Amino acid sequence: MSIQVRQIHKQFGSFVALDEVSIDFPSGQLVALLGPSGCGKTTLLRVIAGLEHADSGQVLLDGQDASATNVRERQVGFVFQHYALFRHMTVFDNVAFGLRMKPRRQRLSETRIHSKVHELLGLVQLDWLADRFPSQLSGGQRQRIALARALAVEPRVLLLDEPFGALDAKVRKELRRWLRKLHDELHITSIFVTHDQEEALEVADQVVLMNHGRVEQIGTPEEVYRHPATPFVYGFLGAVNLFHGRVDGEGLWVGEDRVPHSSGGVNQGAEVLAYARPHELEIVTDRERMDGVAARIARIRAFGASARVELEGTNGSTGAHFEVELAQVQVAELSLQEGQAVRLLPSRLRVFERQGAGG
Amino acid sequence: MLPGFGLTLGVTVFYLALIVLVPLSAVFAKAAGLGWDGFVAAVTAPRVVASYKLSFGASLIAAAINSVFGLLLAWTLVRYRFPGKRLVDALIDLPFALPTAVAGIALTALYAPNGWLGRLLEPLGVQVAFGPLGVLVALVFIGVPFVVRTVQPILEDLEVELEEAAASLGASRGQTFRHVILPVLVPALLTGFALAFARAVGEYGSVIFIAGNIPLVSEITPLMIITKLEQFDYAGATAIAVVMLVFSFVLLLIINALQAWSSWQTGRAR
């Protein structure tokens, strides 16, 4: 089922949580709402669920305006960050809850409920825990039970609020892969909220990036990572190096250093923010070279497949901090030393004109 | 075994013996002086039996009323924000702090046939002061804080998310309360009930003013004990006390067992 939100506005006191947000969530996809805490992503999810009501704007479920209905009538499955399992009920009773609360005429017989609950527990691979209480389960197991419980009422959409937020790193990774697999089996329209960009990029079909109650960019993980639309998106999706500079001729002036750059689409003389990922910077040790940003190596962290070199800007960009990622062998080839003066040459730069926006 | 077990157990037992068990066993010893027949005669006199019925009956009803309204009060205090909330919160404890005689006099003044409320109730044929109903009113008054204060912290810990989860699964407000909220509260409610009941059974000061103390109608058991004491019938007084003690103990034991059972039900949980 498709979900559309139209010009949703929501304010808590003077704090604007959602500022005229409009998004189309296509049917059958797994969409991530990604952003820093306080960006409005959870509020948006709760508005879609009907747990929160927007000050203005519409929520369309399957093309029908659902704005006036409450959570009971919307047939949405909601999974909470802290599971919200009923602790006085067994796992079985938790999953059966939604089925047993139906009006008598629509309610299944206990035997049907029994087989349905076991089917769902099988789906989340926890059938053997049916008689346990939530307190006897691990966090990952609890969240899977919460998911089974939400699926029991055959919701039209599945909404997950930071579903893996309370779990440790290893379990998170396992569970998000598992969620992806489950979604591929069920194809239920799903939206999940996360502040973890890696999680969003790895799991989702579509990523919606939000900041300060607004949508910054919508696209596939590939699109948003490769072609970030705003400085915020660039900065939020992975480590970045930032240069404050001015476009002049065929280059970018960063303080007194010049970096070659084809200034496509940016006005001459414009003040810009230029971004490069750690692997898009090249370290030049040749003292004769006059282009590139002057920097001094502060620290070399050489473990794993690639080395990370931390640098400090020395000329014009004093105080700036840079990070370069390169292959282990290159560190040896260039015989890099801590304290060494070098120049940084970006192989790829993403330039945004400055509009008071920091990123 | 955890360190300090022997010492703490020793201190606990000694303290309990000194403060509770020794005085209570003195009650039994004194009552034994009557002999079996004398004891039976003292504790089964019609006036005394009528007083048991009133004392335990009114105490149970008062505790039940306080359970319902205490839950309501606690709910309001935990869930809503309104002006004067702190004041209301403080008011709850007032029955604890007030000398019970003051409560008795105030209630009597209100509910007497010429009092503010009594005047309105009398034409309806309802007589509160100077009758069993008055006893109940006084016992409800002094029992207010118990349920509120036992349920309040549990309610505060109850995540709103649980109710949201229930609603998203299609449960109505009523179903959510019945199946999600109430089961979690039952152990605390029972504890509050037991405390309010125990307090009501032992209450004397506020009740004697409003009860009217009519033999066979509105005499409470503690009054019977005082009456015996005033007649220097110490053995008779302790005999009644023994019955009260045993009966209260059995009731509290049952309530505690229920409470333990229900918290085991809900609580394999925590």
Side-chain angles (χ1 to χ4, degrees):
Chain A
M1 191 189 66
S2 68
I3 306 168
Q4 285 138 315
V5 293
R6 295 256 176 279
Q7 270 130 37
I8 293 283
H9 192 88
K10 174 81 187 173
Q11 221 162 323
F12 296 106
S14 61
F15 176 73
V16 179
L18 294 171
D19 188 5
E20 304 288 322
V21 171
S22 299
I23 309 173
D24 281 7
F25 297 95
S27 194
Q29 291 209 329
L30 179 56
V31 181
L33 290 178
L34 176 63
S37 55
C39 74
K41 55 194 192 301
T42 291
T43 308
L44 180 61
L45 194 77
R46 291 172 60 86
V47 167
I48 294 170
L51 292 170
E52 208 93 58
H53 284 274
D55 300 333
S56 64
Q58 286 179 309
V59 176
L60 304 177
L61 299 177
D62 228 359
Q64 304 250 312
D65 186 0
S67 311
T69 59
N70 69 24
V71 60
R72 267 188 290 286
E73 295 147 332
R74 288 198 192 179
Q75 289 177 276
V76 296
F78 202 97
V79 174
F80 296 84
Q81 180 177 2
H82 298 285
Y83 331 120
L85 290 176
F86 307 128
R87 54 180 176 234
H88 60 285
M89 295 182 198
T90 60
V91 163
F92 181 93
D93 291 335
N94 264 286
V95 178
F97 184 83
L99 299 170
R100 286 175 174 160
M101 291 302 118
K102 285 197 195 293
R104 202 172 292 276
R105 257 179 291 142
Q106 301 166 24
R107 204 181 302 164
L108 301 171
S109 66
E110 261 313 298
T111 42
R112 295 276 302 282
I113 288 177
H114 189 88
S115 59
K116 180 148 189 191
V117 169
H118 279 289
E119 194 183 300
L120 283 159
L121 288 175
L123 184 71
V124 299
Q125 299 155 2
L126 292 174
D127 207 8
W128 50 288
L129 291 175
D131 297 326
R132 303 279 185 87
F133 282 84
S135 58
Q136 297 166 305
L137 311 184
S138 70
Q141 290 170 335
R142 286 184 210 187
Q143 199 55 294
R144 283 194 275 169
I145 297 301
L147 195 61
R149 182 179 70 174
L151 290 172
V153 290
E154 292 173 6
R156 299 189 291 170
V157 294
L158 191 59
L159 307 173
L160 307 105
D161 181 12
E162 302 244 6
F164 314 128
L167 304 170
D168 62 61
K170 187 162 173 287
V171 181
R172 277 176 94 111
K173 281 208 163 169
E174 269 170 40
L175 264 194
R176 68 193 193 209
R177 243 170 262 143
W178 174 82
L179 176 70
R180 181 66 237 185
K181 228 180 90 214
L182 189 74
H183 184 265
D184 291 340
E185 284 171 37
L186 300 174
H187 283 296
I188 178 172
T189 309
S190 308
I191 304 176
F192 77 101
V193 159
T194 180
H195 60 258
D196 180 342
Q197 33 99 8
E198 198 185 317
E199 190 168 293
L201 296 176
E202 190 180 311
V203 176
D205 297 314
Q206 292 272 325
V207 178
V208 176
L209 272 127
M210 294 185 67
N211 191 29
H212 294 307
R214 290 165 175 275
V215 174
E216 295 269 337
Q217 189 175 6
I218 303 177
T220 63
E222 173 97 13
E223 277 164 18
V224 295
Y225 189 79
R226 286 293 184 92
H227 308 290
T230 66
F232 166 78
V233 175
Y234 204 107
F236 196 74
L237 297 175
V240 289
N241 294 292
L242 168 65
F243 302 97
H244 293 269
R246 190 164 45 79
V247 176
D248 190 14
E250 279 301 285
L252 178 75
W253 287 92
V254 180
E256 288 145 40
D257 296 328
R258 192 176 153 279
V259 177
H261 174 67
S262 57
S263 57
V266 182
N267 295 323
Q268 284 291 323
E271 294 286 321
V272 295
L273 298 173
Y275 293 87
R277 302 264 181 227
H279 64 268
E280 293 166 347
L281 284 180
E282 194 191 333
I283 295 177
V284 181
T285 48
D286 182 357
R287 288 186 169 266
E288 303 300 306
R289 285 285 285 267
M290 291 312 290
D291 53 357
V293 177
R296 175 175 293 117
I297 296 177
R299 212 156 96 87
I300 300 173
R301 283 183 288 160
F303 51 81
S306 59
R308 283 175 180 275
V309 180
E310 290 171 22
L311 305 102
E312 270 153 20
T314 48
N315 191 12
S317 54
T318 310
H321 188 87
F322 304 111
E323 187 178 321
V324 178
E325 192 181 330
L326 69 177
Q328 289 283 17
V329 284
Q330 281 182 279
V331 177
E333 273 173 20
L334 295 166
S335 61
L336 298 178
Q337 302 281 324
E338 291 187 1
Q340 187 179 354
V342 295
R343 284 186 175 267
L344 292 173
L345 265 182
S347 58
R348 187 166 179 265
L349 261 186
R350 184 85 171 89
V351 174
F352 296 96
E353 237 177 291
R354 222 165 154 178
Q355 294 155 333
Chain B
M1 194 175 291
L2 287 172
F5 176 74
L7 181 68
T8 45
L9 185 72
V11 170
T12 309
V13 169
F14 176 73
Y15 185 81
L16 200 67
L18 194 70
I19 302 294
V20 181
L21 292 180
V22 170
L24 289 190
S25 52
V27 171
F28 283 86
K30 191 82 186 170
L34 278 176
W36 180 247
D37 292 339
F39 178 81
V40 171
V43 300
T44 56
R47 256 177 89 184
V48 178
V49 172
S51 82
Y52 297 146
K53 285 181 187 159
L54 180 63
S55 262
F56 288 101
S59 296
L60 284 172
I61 295 169
I65 291 174
N66 273 325
S67 297
V68 175
F69 287 94
L71 175 59
L72 213 65
L73 274 170
W75 181 268
T76 311
L77 284 173
V78 171
R79 279 304 163 87
Y80 307 109
R81 296 175 63 180
F82 52 89
K85 178 169 161 167
R86 282 178 177 272
L87 197 71
V88 174
D89 202 38
L91 277 176
I92 302 277
D93 287 329
L94 217 54
F96 270 147
L98 210 63
T100 51
V102 177
I105 293 166
L107 288 172
T108 311
L110 265 184
Y111 286 102
N114 57 357
W116 288 352
L117 290 172
R119 198 180 305 159
L120 303 174
L121 291 169
E122 204 180 22
L124 306 172
V126 181
Q127 194 208 344
V128 178
F130 315 127
L133 209 52
V135 177
L136 185 64
V137 169
L139 295 183
V140 169
F141 175 83
I142 53 129
V144 167
F146 294 98
V147 175
V148 179
R149 292 296 179 230
T150 48
V151 171
Q152 207 171 9
I154 309 292
L155 262 183
E156 274 164 4
D157 285 349
L158 202 68
E159 307 97 323
V160 180
E161 279 186 357
L162 290 177
E163 291 164 54
E164 291 178 344
S168 77
L169 293 166
S172 65
R173 286 298 290 163
Q175 284 174 321
T176 303
F177 182 77
R178 165 80 189 76
H179 297 286
V180 175
I181 300 170
L182 201 57
V184 181
L185 295 183
V186 164
L189 268 176
L190 281 171
T191 306
F193 180 92
L195 289 171
F197 166 75
R199 172 73 206 269
V201 166
E203 178 58 15
Y204 177 73
S206 61
V207 177
I208 44 150
F209 283 98
I210 199 170
N213 305 330
I214 307 157
L216 297 170
V217 177
S218 61
E219 284 180 322
I220 55 167
T221 311
L223 178 71
M224 299 311 302
I225 296 172
I226 299 278
T227 312
K228 297 259 185 209
L229 288 178
E230 280 169 352
Q231 294 158 357
F232 304 105
D233 180 5
Y234 295 133
T238 49
I240 299 173
V242 163
V243 173
M244 263 191 104
L245 265 177
V246 170
F247 202 67
S248 298
F249 187 71
V250 169
L251 274 174
L252 288 175
L253 209 61
I254 293 170
I255 295 169
N256 274 339
L258 269 177
Q259 198 250 340
W261 176 78
S262 69
S263 68
W264 177 75
Q265 280 283 305
T266 57
R268 280 173 283 187
R270 287 153 225 185

